[in-house]
Amino acid sequence: MDRVSERRHAGIGRVLIAVYAVLAIAATGRSFVQIVQRFDEAPLAYSLSAAAAVVYIVATVALAMQRSRVARAVALAAVCFELVGVLVVGTLSIVAPSLFGHDSVWSYFGMGYVFIPAVLPFLGLWWLHASRERVAA
């Protein structure tokens, strides 16, 4: 890979990690407020929100450290877990919308934001695949 492509790839990786970091902070704050103040309104949705926050935190750290094989494996697992979670929660929200609070990402009011959790894991998987030759032995 030439230097320009390598810099471009590293730049894309930094942006991806920054997006995961922002989502980790936002999801952690949001789930904390939801669980502390309104857990009884939608316990499943708010528990899943807390699980998403943990996944975003793990993915952020692992993606930032992905040059080691262990961190890369953790990043891959976290991003795959995120993708499965998005598919399961998205399907569940269509089948049983009453399980989700009125202001969750998966509710009618939050559907405009659904592209973020639906697209991000695919970008993460693409980046991990594209950067696999840089991993230290």
Side-chain angles (χ1 to χ4, degrees):
M1 185 179 285
D2 64 21
R3 291 221 187 266
V4 172
S5 296
E6 197 168 307
R7 279 195 307 260
R8 183 178 302 130
H9 184 77
I12 292 168
R14 287 186 193 108
V15 169
L16 182 67
I17 292 165
V19 169
Y20 268 100
V22 167
L23 288 175
I25 293 166
T28 301
R30 181 179 178 109
S31 67
F32 178 77
V33 169
Q34 290 170 333
I35 289 172
V36 169
Q37 294 181 353
R38 303 178 2 211
F39 186 74
D40 57 329
E41 292 176 18
L44 176 63
Y46 298 153
S47 297
L48 291 172
S49 179
V54 171
V55 170
Y56 284 133
I57 291 167
V58 170
T60 302
V61 172
L63 285 168
M65 300 173 55
Q66 71 101 17
R67 289 198 184 259
S68 81
R69 288 187 186 271
V70 172
R72 182 176 173 73
V74 170
L76 184 61
V79 172
C80 287
F81 189 80
E82 175 193 6
L83 180 59
V84 169
V86 164
L87 296 174
V88 168
V89 171
T91 302
L92 186 58
S93 70
I94 291 169
V95 174
S98 63
L99 295 174
F100 296 87
H102 67 84
D103 62 348
S104 74
V105 170
W106 299 105
S107 70
Y108 173 77
F109 297 103
M111 281 300 185
Y113 302 104
V114 79
F115 71 93
I116 295 171
V119 171
L120 191 60
F122 288 108
L123 292 175
L125 291 172
W126 167 81
W127 190 68
L128 283 167
H129 174 74
S131 64
R132 73 182 180 278
E133 62 272 358
R134 289 183 185 78
V135 176

